Each structure stands twice: as C-alpha cells, then as structure tokens.
Amino acid sequence: MTGPLEFGQMVLLIDDKGRHYLVKLVERSTFQYHRGNLPHEDIIAAGDGGAVTASSGGMLRVLRPRLRDYILKMTRGAQVVYPKDIGSILVWADVAAGMTVLEAGTGSGALTTALLRAVGPTGRVVTVERRDDHARTAHKTLTRWFGEIPDNLEMRSGEVEDVLVEVAPERIVLDVPEPWHAARIAAEHQEPGGVLCCYLPTVPQIQTLVETLEETGAYEDIDVFETMERTWNVSGRSVRPGHRMIGHTGFLVTSRRVQRREGGP
C-alpha cells in the first residue's frame, strides 16, 4: 500500500464533482468516462495523490483506495458488512495482530479483508461459507485487494459448527442467520477470555442469540448495539448535517467467554 503505483494495483479516481471511480491498473488500458479518456500509464506516472487530465479536459485526483473505498465500490454477491459496522466489529471483538479468528459466513469478503489486516501476517483467519457462489465472489474480492489469497487465510465451505471444534479460535465473528447453534458449540470449545461477536439484522434474532448465550453459562458481558453514520457538509460559514445518513444496517452482539460457575449450566 506504499511506494510507486504499479500495474495490477487498484486506484481511486475522484473527479471535480466528488465522484469516485475504482480502477484496476492494466497495461495498455484506458480509463473512459464522460469527460474523456485516460491511459493507465498516465495514472501511474501521476502517482499516489497526484492529478491527471483526461483527453476532454476532465481533472481527476489519483489516490490509493482505502479499504472503505474498496468495500463500497467492489463487486458484491451477498450484502456486505458496511465499513461503519466493520470498525465496530474490529474494536468490540478486540481483533489484534497474531490472533486466530474464525469467521462465518464469508459473503462477499469485505469483513474477511478487514480481519486479515487486523490479525497481520502472524495471525490466522479461517472463514466459512455455505454457498459456493458467495465463496467464489469472496475469492475474487480478496484476490483483487491483496493481489493473491494470503497464506494466513483459510477459505472453507460448509457449516461453521463443523469447523469450530478444530480451530478453537480466540475470536469468533459470525454473520449467519442462526448463530445460536454455533454459540452452543463455542461455549464448549472457545477458551475463557475469548470474544464471540455476531452481526444480525433483526430483533428476534438478537433476542434468541442473547437467550442462548445466557443459557450456556459460558458467556457474560453481553452488549447489543447498532451504529449510525451521518456526514456533515462544511463550506465556509455553512455547516450542516448531510441530507442522508447510514442508519440501521445490523445489530452487533458481543460477549466474553468466561469460566462457568460451580453448579451452573
């Protein structure tokens, strides 16, 4: 993510109206938009943070895409986890370098990408997806961002319950319709001190999950919340909230694996 731009990398082009274009740099290719054509060689020559002019006079800023930019512009299969929720997941699940994280389902691979960056090269991410079409999309997503599938990522097909016992992860992150099934197994195989984090769209789902976590006697410090995001427009003396905000996209349920009390479940 540093150094000169090269063919095969992704770049973000921003025009004078603030429109964003995500482009993969390919030798002898040209970016085309309503204000002209722009050879990819010219983009590379401009460099990260540089500016270029298209054939019809259109001005474009060249930047390396942040992970947020990539997620919002990438090709999707399943609905992605939004950047605002990914940030909360990484912090509340306390995902850090060197950890082993078990994720399900992989979906379009947005959260998987963030988890890999968080655990770093010394960590490990095992992601499980039951649908082959989603797994194929995620494979493309990860390859486009990293250039190849990282060595510390394992992509598996099937049910997370079948993988959980083998992996015994420090962190579990679930984006599946019925995570309470996996929670019961995690209660037996996740070490005390671990974190279980689930992303769910509806109230009945979070209610069932929390009840299950409490029934196991293995999880405490349970938090349920949602994150809202609202931008602001700042132009001279005019400072006002944006006309749109990203409201409810999902609930997060986080819990800590504890040692069961004597006589407890």
Side-chain angles (χ1 to χ4, degrees), residues 30-39 42 52-60:
T30 300
F31 169 70
Q32 299 177 337
Y33 81 129
H34 64 283
R35 295 197 61 191
N37 302 327
L38 182 64
D42 291 356
V52 287
T53 304
S55 59
S56 297
M59 300 294 295
L60 293 159

Side-chain angles (χ1 to χ4, degrees), residues 111-153:
L111 178 56
T112 314
T113 306
L115 292 172
L116 280 164
R117 287 181 54 163
V119 302
T122 60
R124 175 190 181 204
V125 174
V126 180
T127 184
V128 185
E129 175 56 57
R130 63 174 64 170
R131 288 184 49 170
D132 291 340
D133 56 336
H134 288 174
R136 287 192 295 269
T137 299
H139 192 281
K140 294 177 182 177
T141 296
L142 292 156
T143 301
R144 289 187 76 192
W145 179 255
F146 290 107
E148 60 184 3
I149 298 299
D151 293 336
N152 59 337
L153 171 64

Side-chain angles (χ1 to χ4, degrees), residues 7 9 39 79 89 91 117 123 128 137 151 165 176 194 200 216 221 229 255:
F7 292 118
Q9 295 179 342
Q79 175 64 44
I89 289 170
V91 173
R117 287 181 54 163
V128 185
T137 299
D151 293 336
V165 177
V176 295
L200 292 165
T216 67
D221 195 24
E229 180 181 301
S255 57

Side-chain angles (χ1 to χ4, degrees), residues 114-207:
L115 292 172
L116 280 164
R117 287 181 54 163
V119 302
T122 60
R124 175 190 181 204
V125 174
V126 180
T127 184
V128 185
E129 175 56 57
R130 63 174 64 170
R131 288 184 49 170
D132 291 340
D133 56 336
H134 288 174
R136 287 192 295 269
T137 299
H139 192 281
K140 294 177 182 177
T141 296
L142 292 156
T143 301
R144 289 187 76 192
W145 179 255
F146 290 107
E148 60 184 3
I149 298 299
D151 293 336
N152 59 337
L153 171 64
E154 297 177 35
M155 302 184 72
R156 303 195 187 185
S157 299
E159 303 294 335
V160 64
E161 292 86 353
D162 298 330
V163 179
L164 206 155
V165 177
E166 172 197 344
V167 176
E170 297 153 283
R171 302 291 186 261
I172 301 172
V173 180
L174 303 177
D175 179 12
V176 295
E178 299 179 342
W180 43 89
H181 300 306
R184 292 190 184 279
I185 298 176
E188 303 300 327
H189 298 281
Q190 189 177 29
E191 291 294 323
V195 178
L196 173 64
C197 178
C198 299
Y199 183 67
L200 292 165
T202 71
V203 170
Q205 287 172 303
I206 63 173
Q207 184 176 15

